Amino acid sequence: VQLVASGGGLVQAGGSLRLSCAASGIIFSIKTMGWYRQAPGKQRELVATITSGGGNTYYADSVKGRFTISRDNAKNTMYLQMNSLKPEDTAVYYCNTRSLTLPWGQGTQVTVSS
């Protein structure tokens, strides 16, 4: 089982990034998946979730209207389009199932400069 998050980087405030989460070793298409993030000195928090078929999504209030979660079950991949980024979005971003049943991957660092 492996979850590999990628696509992070350094961006100025107001910029955009698109994160990807490639899953292997699981039946990806039946899982409700989520993006999580952990900022320095803070607990890991839920950012967004998407149901198995992609029909229902959830967003934390802090990212609603700016981030969009999506998935491609044929590619076993989930995405997070992040627009209008703010310095407070700086964190390591991880993917996992909504019920946190899989080992955490290495995450991808997102740094937003002001």
Side-chain angles (χ1 to χ4, degrees):
V1 174
Q2 194 172 21
L3 296 170
V4 179
S6 62
L10 173 64
V11 64
Q12 289 188 330
S16 298
L17 285 172
R18 189 193 194 205
L19 306 184
S20 297
C21 170
S24 60
I26 63 170
I27 306 175
F28 179 78
S29 61
I30 68 172
K31 303 288 188 182
T32 292
M33 297 294 296
W35 283 100
Y36 302 79
R37 68 185 182 186
Q38 186 167 20
K42 295 187 177 181
Q43 288 190 333
R44 195 170 299 180
E45 63 175 353
L46 176 65
V47 174
T49 64
I50 186 166
T51 51
S52 56
N56 287 291
T57 57
Y58 160 84
Y59 298 94
D61 287 343
S62 58
V63 306
K64 200 172 295 182
R66 300 187 297 120
F67 291 9
T68 302
I69 190 171
S70 62
R71 65 192 296 162
D72 184 340
N73 286 341
K75 296 181 178 180
N76 281 7
T77 302
M78 177 176 65
Y79 305 98
L80 187 67
Q81 177 67 43
M82 306 187 297
N83 299 328
S84 302
L85 282 162
K86 304 176 180 180
E88 51 263 44
D89 295 319
T90 294
V92 179
Y93 285 71
Y94 303 86
C95 53
N96 208 319
T97 63
R98 179 62 184 93
S99 52
L100 302 181
T101 54
L102 302 177
W104 292 103
Q106 86 288 354
T108 185
Q109 175 71 49
V110 172
T111 303
V112 185
S113 62
S114 57

